[in-house]
């Protein structure tokens, strides 16, 4: 019996086409060339997810300094449908959380999530996070969900701001 292997790898000029194809399959929107140019310069903020050496997902982030705060914006976080529920998303989110924790200078993390009719809101951070509150925003198309994660170094909680986009 072989054990499945999940790894993250860098986005490079040699595999950027794999990211483009993955995004076309996973997301209902198209990304322009500037997005991919920025991803190539993102370093640890852009990763491909491999399952047994096959590209099956990706996470791409950028630093946002608007609203007088320093936040990490998760631009894309996706996985091919047949590979969901295998822990790949958890590995990608944990990479983002580790990056923010190691940096130590972020106020929050946020993302936009498409919510389809009839879909249930799930915590994108997985265990041990909990959705602590949901607040409507001025737009009918989005709402704000606060995600809490138990601190690794004590009983304090970190609150991650997540914007979910209703379409």
């Amino acid at each position: 019996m072989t054990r499945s292997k999940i790894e993250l790898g860098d986005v490079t000029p040699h595999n950027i086409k794999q990211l483009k194809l993955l995004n076309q399959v996973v997301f209902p929107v198209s990304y322009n060339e500037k997005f991919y140019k920025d991803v190539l310069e993102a370093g640890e903020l852009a990763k491909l997810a491999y399952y047994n050496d096959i590209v099956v997902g990706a996470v791409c982030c950028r630093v946002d300094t608007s609203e007088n705060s320093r936040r990490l914006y998760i631009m894309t976080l996706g996985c091919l449908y047949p590979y969901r529920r295998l822990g790949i998303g958890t590995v990608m989110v944990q990479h983002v959380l580790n990056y923010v924790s190691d940096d130590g200078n972020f106020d929050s993390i946020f993302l936009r999530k498409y919510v389809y009719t009839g879909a249930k809101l799930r915590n994108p951070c997985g265990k041990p996070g909990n959705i602590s509150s949901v607040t409507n925003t001025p737009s009918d198309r989005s709402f704000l969900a606060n995600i809490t994660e138990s601190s690794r170094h004590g009983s304090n909680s970190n609150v991650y701001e997540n914007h979910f986009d209703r379409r």
Side-chain angles (χ1 to χ4, degrees):
M1 180 177 183
T2 59
R3 184 169 167 89
S4 301
K5 184 170 69 170
I6 301 169
E7 294 181 316
L8 298 181
D10 295 336
V11 177
T12 69
H14 301 290
N15 61 22
I16 192 76
K17 287 183 180 180
Q18 288 179 303
L19 176 63
K20 289 179 183 180
L21 183 59
L22 182 82
N23 284 349
Q24 288 172 356
V25 172
V26 173
F27 300 113
V29 295
S30 297
Y31 295 94
N32 60 32
E33 287 303 313
K34 183 183 179 331
F35 172 86
Y36 294 104
K37 181 178 180 275
D38 291 346
V39 164
L40 284 172
E41 298 172 3
E44 288 298 306
L45 295 178
K47 292 291 184 181
L48 291 173
Y50 293 87
Y51 184 80
N52 291 336
D53 299 324
I54 300 168
V55 175
V56 298
V59 59
C60 300
C61 307
R62 68 174 167 80
V63 177
D64 178 78
T65 55
S66 62
E67 301 178 17
N68 294 326
S69 64
R70 186 169 185 255
R71 309 180 306 170
L72 189 72
Y73 173 44
I74 301 175
M75 300 183 293
T76 63
L77 173 66
C79 183
L80 293 172
Y81 184 78
Y83 297 92
R84 293 179 187 167
R85 313 293 269 160
L86 298 174
I88 298 162
T90 300
V91 170
M92 291 188 289
V93 169
Q94 192 59 55
H95 172 76
V96 171
L97 294 175
N98 290 344
Y99 182 88
V100 168
S101 177
D102 291 347
D103 181 276
N105 291 315
F106 285 96
D107 298 310
S108 64
I109 299 169
F110 73 106
L111 59 86
R112 299 194 189 287
K113 178 180 178 186
Y114 291 100
V115 178
Y116 300 101
T117 304
K120 291 182 180 178
L121 176 64
R122 291 188 48 235
N123 180 351
C125 296
K127 297 175 186 174
N130 297 303
I131 296 175
S132 60
S133 66
V134 176
T135 308
N136 289 324
T137 60
S139 166
D140 282 344
R141 304 184 93 177
S142 64
F143 57 95
L144 174 69
N146 288 323
I147 307 296
T148 60
E149 179 196 32
S150 299
S151 172
R152 286 181 247 170
H153 305 294
S155 61
N156 296 336
S157 291
N158 297 318
V159 177
Y160 296 102
E161 178 182 279
N162 291 274
H163 295 275
F164 295 87
D165 192 24
R166 291 183 185 154
R167 301 255 175 183

